[in-house]
Amino acid sequence: MDEEHFLERAKQFAHRLAELQNRLDPDSYDLLLRILRGINDAIVHRRDGGSDSGSVDVEFSPRDQDRFTPALGRELEELTSLLGPHGLRLVVDFGAEQERDRMEVEAIARASGMDPGRS
């Protein structure tokens, strides 16, 4: 990517981020920034000769999981596409957390005398 192309994409990224700051609620915007910091850390770590994967985990609370809507995910994809072709792969995995939550809800249902296997 030549310097002119890079600068244009950087301007688009900054413009998009400013637009999102005005459009998103403060908590969702903060979550987006935390994720972007994690992505930045992964890129820097990989460039500095860190592990091949350059992966970084961003901790999500249950409230963060609720805030990470499909729309926010699409905005994040749009922003990362402006960062350039770094071989980025964004993985959002709530699987283990959701399974733990499901088991906890089922345990509460059983303790309350309900059968969680029946709809």
Side-chain angles (χ1 to χ4, degrees), residues 12-13 16 73-83:
Q12 290 174 4
F13 181 89
R16 186 76 174 156
R74 286 189 298 275
E75 296 293 354
L76 183 59
E77 284 182 61
E78 178 68 28
L79 286 168
T80 56
S81 73
L82 294 170
L83 296 175

mmCIF file with all atom_site columns, all heavy atoms in Angstrom, residues 12-13 16 73-83:
data_model
loop_
_atom_site.group_PDB
_atom_site.id
_atom_site.type_symbol
_atom_site.label_atom_id
_atom_site.label_alt_id
_atom_site.label_comp_id
_atom_site.label_asym_id
_atom_site.label_entity_id
_atom_site.label_seq_id
_atom_site.pdbx_PDB_ins_code
_atom_site.Cartn_x
_atom_site.Cartn_y
_atom_site.Cartn_z
_atom_site.occupancy
_atom_site.B_iso_or_equiv
_atom_site.pdbx_formal_charge
_atom_site.auth_seq_id
_atom_site.auth_comp_id
_atom_site.auth_asym_id
_atom_site.auth_atom_id
_atom_site.pdbx_PDB_model_num
ATOM 1   N N   . GLN A 1 12 ? -10.196 8.013  6.395  1.00 0.00 ? 12 GLN A N   1
ATOM 2   C CA  . GLN A 1 12 ? -11.508 7.362  6.419  1.00 0.00 ? 12 GLN A CA  1
ATOM 3   C C   . GLN A 1 12 ? -11.755 6.688  7.768  1.00 0.00 ? 12 GLN A C   1
ATOM 4   O O   . GLN A 1 12 ? -12.860 6.743  8.310  1.00 0.00 ? 12 GLN A O   1
ATOM 5   C CB  . GLN A 1 12 ? -11.604 6.326  5.298  1.00 0.00 ? 12 GLN A CB  1
ATOM 6   C CG  . GLN A 1 12 ? -11.674 6.918  3.921  1.00 0.00 ? 12 GLN A CG  1
ATOM 7   C CD  . GLN A 1 12 ? -11.623 5.843  2.847  1.00 0.00 ? 12 GLN A CD  1
ATOM 8   O OE1 . GLN A 1 12 ? -11.615 4.634  3.120  1.00 0.00 ? 12 GLN A OE1 1
ATOM 9   N NE2 . GLN A 1 12 ? -11.578 6.272  1.591  1.00 0.00 ? 12 GLN A NE2 1
ATOM 10  N N   . PHE A 1 13 ? -10.715 6.045  8.299  1.00 0.00 ? 13 PHE A N   1
ATOM 11  C CA  . PHE A 1 13 ? -10.825 5.381  9.600  1.00 0.00 ? 13 PHE A CA  1
ATOM 12  C C   . PHE A 1 13 ? -11.175 6.408  10.680 1.00 0.00 ? 13 PHE A C   1
ATOM 13  O O   . PHE A 1 13 ? -12.103 6.200  11.464 1.00 0.00 ? 13 PHE A O   1
ATOM 14  C CB  . PHE A 1 13 ? -9.507  4.667  9.934  1.00 0.00 ? 13 PHE A CB  1
ATOM 15  C CG  . PHE A 1 13 ? -9.526  3.945  11.240 1.00 0.00 ? 13 PHE A CG  1
ATOM 16  C CD1 . PHE A 1 13 ? -9.946  2.629  11.305 1.00 0.00 ? 13 PHE A CD1 1
ATOM 17  C CD2 . PHE A 1 13 ? -9.113  4.570  12.410 1.00 0.00 ? 13 PHE A CD2 1
ATOM 18  C CE1 . PHE A 1 13 ? -9.967  1.949  12.508 1.00 0.00 ? 13 PHE A CE1 1
ATOM 19  C CE2 . PHE A 1 13 ? -9.129  3.900  13.616 1.00 0.00 ? 13 PHE A CE2 1
ATOM 20  C CZ  . PHE A 1 13 ? -9.551  2.585  13.672 1.00 0.00 ? 13 PHE A CZ  1
ATOM 21  N N   . ARG A 1 16 ? -14.730 7.697  10.245 1.00 0.00 ? 16 ARG A N   1
ATOM 22  C CA  . ARG A 1 16 ? -15.712 6.674  10.637 1.00 0.00 ? 16 ARG A CA  1
ATOM 23  C C   . ARG A 1 16 ? -15.778 6.553  12.158 1.00 0.00 ? 16 ARG A C   1
ATOM 24  O O   . ARG A 1 16 ? -16.858 6.430  12.743 1.00 0.00 ? 16 ARG A O   1
ATOM 25  C CB  . ARG A 1 16 ? -15.317 5.343  9.994  1.00 0.00 ? 16 ARG A CB  1
ATOM 26  C CG  . ARG A 1 16 ? -16.295 4.248  10.191 1.00 0.00 ? 16 ARG A CG  1
ATOM 27  C CD  . ARG A 1 16 ? -17.454 4.452  9.282  1.00 0.00 ? 16 ARG A CD  1
ATOM 28  N NE  . ARG A 1 16 ? -18.340 3.309  9.373  1.00 0.00 ? 16 ARG A NE  1
ATOM 29  C CZ  . ARG A 1 16 ? -19.588 3.369  9.080  1.00 0.00 ? 16 ARG A CZ  1
ATOM 30  N NH1 . ARG A 1 16 ? -20.102 4.480  8.620  1.00 0.00 ? 16 ARG A NH1 1
ATOM 31  N NH2 . ARG A 1 16 ? -20.346 2.323  9.199  1.00 0.00 ? 16 ARG A NH2 1
ATOM 32  N N   . GLY A 1 73 ? -20.681 -5.403 15.371 1.00 0.00 ? 73 GLY A N   1
ATOM 33  C CA  . GLY A 1 73 ? -19.726 -6.278 14.701 1.00 0.00 ? 73 GLY A CA  1
ATOM 34  C C   . GLY A 1 73 ? -19.462 -5.833 13.271 1.00 0.00 ? 73 GLY A C   1
ATOM 35  O O   . GLY A 1 73 ? -18.311 -5.845 12.812 1.00 0.00 ? 73 GLY A O   1
ATOM 36  N N   . ARG A 1 74 ? -20.506 -5.412 12.567 1.00 0.00 ? 74 ARG A N   1
ATOM 37  C CA  . ARG A 1 74 ? -20.331 -4.923 11.199 1.00 0.00 ? 74 ARG A CA  1
ATOM 38  C C   . ARG A 1 74 ? -19.516 -3.634 11.168 1.00 0.00 ? 74 ARG A C   1
ATOM 39  O O   . ARG A 1 74 ? -18.671 -3.444 10.297 1.00 0.00 ? 74 ARG A O   1
ATOM 40  C CB  . ARG A 1 74 ? -21.694 -4.726 10.529 1.00 0.00 ? 74 ARG A CB  1
ATOM 41  C CG  . ARG A 1 74 ? -22.365 -6.044 10.141 1.00 0.00 ? 74 ARG A CG  1
ATOM 42  C CD  . ARG A 1 74 ? -23.599 -5.811 9.293  1.00 0.00 ? 74 ARG A CD  1
ATOM 43  N NE  . ARG A 1 74 ? -24.645 -5.058 9.978  1.00 0.00 ? 74 ARG A NE  1
ATOM 44  C CZ  . ARG A 1 74 ? -25.564 -5.603 10.778 1.00 0.00 ? 74 ARG A CZ  1
ATOM 45  N NH1 . ARG A 1 74 ? -25.559 -6.903 11.002 1.00 0.00 ? 74 ARG A NH1 1
ATOM 46  N NH2 . ARG A 1 74 ? -26.489 -4.847 11.342 1.00 0.00 ? 74 ARG A NH2 1
ATOM 47  N N   . GLU A 1 75 ? -19.763 -2.755 12.138 1.00 0.00 ? 75 GLU A N   1
ATOM 48  C CA  . GLU A 1 75 ? -18.977 -1.523 12.219 1.00 0.00 ? 75 GLU A CA  1
ATOM 49  C C   . GLU A 1 75 ? -17.508 -1.848 12.470 1.00 0.00 ? 75 GLU A C   1
ATOM 50  O O   . GLU A 1 75 ? -16.610 -1.243 11.867 1.00 0.00 ? 75 GLU A O   1
ATOM 51  C CB  . GLU A 1 75 ? -19.503 -0.605 13.333 1.00 0.00 ? 75 GLU A CB  1
ATOM 52  C CG  . GLU A 1 75 ? -20.899 -0.093 13.128 1.00 0.00 ? 75 GLU A CG  1
ATOM 53  C CD  . GLU A 1 75 ? -21.046 0.859  11.947 1.00 0.00 ? 75 GLU A CD  1
ATOM 54  O OE1 . GLU A 1 75 ? -20.037 1.241  11.325 1.00 0.00 ? 75 GLU A OE1 1
ATOM 55  O OE2 . GLU A 1 75 ? -22.191 1.224  11.633 1.00 0.00 ? 75 GLU A OE2 1
ATOM 56  N N   . LEU A 1 76 ? -17.261 -2.814 13.333 1.00 0.00 ? 76 LEU A N   1
ATOM 57  C CA  . LEU A 1 76 ? -15.891 -3.220 13.629 1.00 0.00 ? 76 LEU A CA  1
ATOM 58  C C   . LEU A 1 76 ? -15.217 -3.804 12.388 1.00 0.00 ? 76 LEU A C   1
ATOM 59  O O   . LEU A 1 76 ? -14.065 -3.496 12.097 1.00 0.00 ? 76 LEU A O   1
ATOM 60  C CB  . LEU A 1 76 ? -15.886 -4.227 14.775 1.00 0.00 ? 76 LEU A CB  1
ATOM 61  C CG  . LEU A 1 76 ? -14.523 -4.694 15.249 1.00 0.00 ? 76 LEU A CG  1
ATOM 62  C CD1 . LEU A 1 76 ? -13.671 -3.528 15.726 1.00 0.00 ? 76 LEU A CD1 1
ATOM 63  C CD2 . LEU A 1 76 ? -14.693 -5.725 16.354 1.00 0.00 ? 76 LEU A CD2 1
ATOM 64  N N   . GLU A 1 77 ? -15.945 -4.614 11.636 1.00 0.00 ? 77 GLU A N   1
ATOM 65  C CA  . GLU A 1 77 ? -15.403 -5.163 10.393 1.00 0.00 ? 77 GLU A CA  1
ATOM 66  C C   . GLU A 1 77 ? -15.059 -4.058 9.410  1.00 0.00 ? 77 GLU A C   1
ATOM 67  O O   . GLU A 1 77 ? -14.013 -4.105 8.748  1.00 0.00 ? 77 GLU A O   1
ATOM 68  C CB  . GLU A 1 77 ? -16.407 -6.125 9.752  1.00 0.00 ? 77 GLU A CB  1
ATOM 69  C CG  . GLU A 1 77 ? -16.487 -7.468 10.412 1.00 0.00 ? 77 GLU A CG  1
ATOM 70  C CD  . GLU A 1 77 ? -17.451 -8.379 9.692  1.00 0.00 ? 77 GLU A CD  1
ATOM 71  O OE1 . GLU A 1 77 ? -17.222 -8.658 8.505  1.00 0.00 ? 77 GLU A OE1 1
ATOM 72  O OE2 . GLU A 1 77 ? -18.437 -8.800 10.327 1.00 0.00 ? 77 GLU A OE2 1
ATOM 73  N N   . GLU A 1 78 ? -15.935 -3.056 9.313  1.00 0.00 ? 78 GLU A N   1
ATOM 74  C CA  . GLU A 1 78 ? -15.686 -1.929 8.414  1.00 0.00 ? 78 GLU A CA  1
ATOM 75  C C   . GLU A 1 78 ? -14.419 -1.182 8.831  1.00 0.00 ? 78 GLU A C   1
ATOM 76  O O   . GLU A 1 78 ? -13.578 -0.851 7.992  1.00 0.00 ? 78 GLU A O   1
ATOM 77  C CB  . GLU A 1 78 ? -16.888 -0.977 8.410  1.00 0.00 ? 78 GLU A CB  1
ATOM 78  C CG  . GLU A 1 78 ? -16.718 0.252  7.561  1.00 0.00 ? 78 GLU A CG  1
ATOM 79  C CD  . GLU A 1 78 ? -16.671 -0.035 6.072  1.00 0.00 ? 78 GLU A CD  1
ATOM 80  O OE1 . GLU A 1 78 ? -17.269 -1.035 5.644  1.00 0.00 ? 78 GLU A OE1 1
ATOM 81  O OE2 . GLU A 1 78 ? -16.033 0.751  5.346  1.00 0.00 ? 78 GLU A OE2 1
ATOM 82  N N   . LEU A 1 79 ? -14.291 -0.938 10.125 1.00 0.00 ? 79 LEU A N   1
ATOM 83  C CA  . LEU A 1 79 ? -13.103 -0.238 10.614 1.00 0.00 ? 79 LEU A CA  1
ATOM 84  C C   . LEU A 1 79 ? -11.837 -1.049 10.356 1.00 0.00 ? 79 LEU A C   1
ATOM 85  O O   . LEU A 1 79 ? -10.830 -0.501 9.913  1.00 0.00 ? 79 LEU A O   1
ATOM 86  C CB  . LEU A 1 79 ? -13.244 0.070  12.108 1.00 0.00 ? 79 LEU A CB  1
ATOM 87  C CG  . LEU A 1 79 ? -14.205 1.180  12.484 1.00 0.00 ? 79 LEU A CG  1
ATOM 88  C CD1 . LEU A 1 79 ? -14.462 1.181  13.980 1.00 0.00 ? 79 LEU A CD1 1
ATOM 89  C CD2 . LEU A 1 79 ? -13.679 2.523  12.024 1.00 0.00 ? 79 LEU A CD2 1
ATOM 90  N N   . THR A 1 80 ? -11.870 -2.337 10.637 1.00 0.00 ? 80 THR A N   1
ATOM 91  C CA  . THR A 1 80 ? -10.670 -3.158 10.443 1.00 0.00 ? 80 THR A CA  1
ATOM 92  C C   . THR A 1 80 ? -10.313 -3.285 8.968  1.00 0.00 ? 80 THR A C   1
ATOM 93  O O   . THR A 1 80 ? -9.141  -3.403 8.634  1.00 0.00 ? 80 THR A O   1
ATOM 94  C CB  . THR A 1 80 ? -10.806 -4.557 11.080 1.00 0.00 ? 80 THR A CB  1
ATOM 95  O OG1 . THR A 1 80 ? -11.952 -5.214 10.560 1.00 0.00 ? 80 THR A OG1 1
ATOM 96  C CG2 . THR A 1 80 ? -10.898 -4.462 12.590 1.00 0.00 ? 80 THR A CG2 1
ATOM 97  N N   . SER A 1 81 ? -11.309 -3.226 8.092  1.00 0.00 ? 81 SER A N   1
ATOM 98  C CA  . SER A 1 81 ? -10.995 -3.291 6.661  1.00 0.00 ? 81 SER A CA  1
ATOM 99  C C   . SER A 1 81 ? -10.200 -2.063 6.223  1.00 0.00 ? 81 SER A C   1
ATOM 100 O O   . SER A 1 81 ? -9.419  -2.127 5.279  1.00 0.00 ? 81 SER A O   1
ATOM 101 C CB  . SER A 1 81 ? -12.271 -3.426 5.826  1.00 0.00 ? 81 SER A CB  1
ATOM 102 O OG  . SER A 1 81 ? -12.982 -2.205 5.789  1.00 0.00 ? 81 SER A OG  1
ATOM 103 N N   . LEU A 1 82 ? -10.381 -0.940 6.925  1.00 0.00 ? 82 LEU A N   1
ATOM 104 C CA  . LEU A 1 82 ? -9.640  0.273  6.603  1.00 0.00 ? 82 LEU A CA  1
ATOM 105 C C   . LEU A 1 82 ? -8.205  0.238  7.126  1.00 0.00 ? 82 LEU A C   1
ATOM 106 O O   . LEU A 1 82 ? -7.373  1.043  6.720  1.00 0.00 ? 82 LEU A O   1
ATOM 107 C CB  . LEU A 1 82 ? -10.357 1.504  7.165  1.00 0.00 ? 82 LEU A CB  1
ATOM 108 C CG  . LEU A 1 82 ? -11.707 1.811  6.531  1.00 0.00 ? 82 LEU A CG  1
ATOM 109 C CD1 . LEU A 1 82 ? -12.442 2.885  7.325  1.00 0.00 ? 82 LEU A CD1 1
ATOM 110 C CD2 . LEU A 1 82 ? -11.536 2.231  5.080  1.00 0.00 ? 82 LEU A CD2 1
ATOM 111 N N   . LEU A 1 83 ? -7.914  -0.711 8.013  1.00 0.00 ? 83 LEU A N   1
ATOM 112 C CA  . LEU A 1 83 ? -6.562  -0.808 8.560  1.00 0.00 ? 83 LEU A CA  1
ATOM 113 C C   . LEU A 1 83 ? -5.584  -1.400 7.559  1.00 0.00 ? 83 LEU A C   1
ATOM 114 O O   . LEU A 1 83 ? -4.383  -1.291 7.735  1.00 0.00 ? 83 LEU A O   1
ATOM 115 C CB  . LEU A 1 83 ? -6.559  -1.649 9.843  1.00 0.00 ? 83 LEU A CB  1
ATOM 116 C CG  . LEU A 1 83 ? -7.342  -1.066 11.015 1.00 0.00 ? 83 LEU A CG  1
ATOM 117 C CD1 . LEU A 1 83 ? -7.367  -2.054 12.165 1.00 0.00 ? 83 LEU A CD1 1
ATOM 118 C CD2 . LEU A 1 83 ? -6.741  0.259  11.450 1.00 0.00 ? 83 LEU A CD2 1
#
